[in-house]
Amino acid sequence: MQTNTHEIADRIYRLSTCVPDAAPGGFTFNQFLIDADQPLLFHTGPRRMFPLVSQAVARIVPLERLRWIAFGHVEADECGAMNEFLAVAPRAEVAHGAIGCMVSLDDLCDRPPRKLADGEVIDLGGRRVRHIDTPHVPHNWEARVLFEESTATLFCGDLLTHTGDGPALTDGDVVGPALEAEALFHATALAPATAGTIRRLADLAPRTLALMHGSSTQVRCGESLRALADAYELMTQPR
Ligand SMILES: [Fe+2]
Ligand SMILES: [Fe+2]
């Protein structure tokens, strides 16, 4: 396995590792590094991927400069290596919503996490990331996304997950492949609030959707989120 790096927006890097047998056609695990005065890593990758991911980060910024470690929710692929990163980056803090800290991260993190209120912004110096609580969307009570305001990049986490080892950025449809992956994995919590939460993310008018699994995109971002919301809404209606 190897980790490929691609700058998908100004000083926002996608680090991508494809695991061939995780799904038919392979399945990518992507981290995103915002190279600002206070560098932020969104997703750490699982613990066993730490050597690959940390080397990829270190090719862009020295590991000891990492200031923030963030992720969508508490699962191994999102945050399994957070303590390994805390160990090599003495000034780094995990930043997550209050629920995630209370339920898991106050205990799991080797250093106390920074608790963020819904809508709170961290000024990275040159970049500003807004924390947005999205409970149970796509899954887990502590789920959240990050929105980088100056590039309008939405770090979607598992939203729009699709299989395959596609390009870093695609102009193609991301909704159809995401619904195929949903049929395969059943990963989304299909709850009454799911569609509304995704539509609120579309209202942010993102210009880049940075996806944790699959290709990111810079076309039809809001439209794709609304189409995804519509599809989930149909699935949640009683038959
Ligand atoms: Fe997940
Ligand atoms: Fe994930």
Side-chain angles (χ1 to χ4, degrees):
M1 284 192 304
Q2 61 178 37
T3 300
N4 298 312
T5 300
H6 193 101
E7 187 175 7
I8 59 162
D10 186 22
R11 293 171 69 199
I12 295 178
Y13 295 86
R14 172 188 186 259
L15 318 177
S16 182
T17 310
C18 183
V19 178
D21 52 6
F27 195 59
T28 52
F29 293 81
N30 306 323
Q31 301 80 38
F32 296 92
L33 179 68
I34 306 178
D35 178 19
D37 294 346
Q38 299 186 15
L40 180 146
L41 181 65
F42 191 69
H43 306 143
T44 68
R47 213 156 38 113
R48 288 193 190 89
M49 230 181 243
F50 177 71
L52 275 178
V53 175
S54 60
Q55 282 168 27
V57 171
R59 286 194 284 271
I60 303 165
V61 297
L63 289 174
E64 60 272 17
R65 268 196 63 219
L66 266 186
R67 178 66 182 85
W68 298 103
I69 294 166
F71 38 84
H73 47 266
V74 181
E75 287 180 337
D77 59 334
E78 274 79 9
C79 66
M82 67 181 173
N83 286 325
E84 280 74 4
F85 276 103
L86 288 176
V88 296
R91 292 178 57 245
E93 284 177 275
V94 168
H96 203 92
I99 293 289
C101 294
M102 178 183 75
V103 172
S104 297
L105 296 170
D106 284 341
D107 183 66
L108 295 178
C109 289
D110 283 348
R111 290 199 294 276
R114 162 86 176 266
K115 294 177 182 57
L116 300 172
D118 188 29
E120 189 171 342
V121 170
I122 303 179
D123 189 339
L124 305 178
R127 289 287 178 273
R128 288 166 55 84
V129 289
R130 196 188 314 169
H131 158 82
I132 300 167
D133 284 320
T134 61
H136 305 289
V137 177
H139 46 247
N140 289 19
W141 186 15
E142 77 284 354
R144 59 86 80 92
V145 296
L146 270 190
F147 183 63
E148 200 290 306
E149 296 180 339
S150 59
T151 58
T153 299
L154 183 67
F155 296 93
C156 295
D158 288 342
L159 279 171
L160 291 165
T161 282
H162 52 274
T163 63
D165 190 14
L169 284 167
T170 181
D171 289 344
D173 174 37
V174 289
V175 180
L179 295 175
E180 286 169 25
E182 182 65 34
L184 192 65
F185 298 130
H186 304 287
T188 303
L190 296 172
T194 303
T197 302
I198 296 172
R199 287 186 187 117
R200 277 196 294 283
L201 301 180
D203 291 344
L204 297 168
R207 294 196 298 272
T208 298
L209 299 178
L211 308 192
M212 178 173 192
H213 307 286
S215 301
S216 295
T217 189
Q218 292 175 326
V219 296
R220 301 181 297 275
C221 294
E223 195 183 312
S224 295
L225 288 169
R226 287 194 182 90
L228 185 73
D230 290 348
Y232 285 152
E233 192 165 63
L234 276 177
M235 291 181 207
T236 53
Q237 278 167 4
R239 269 168 261 178

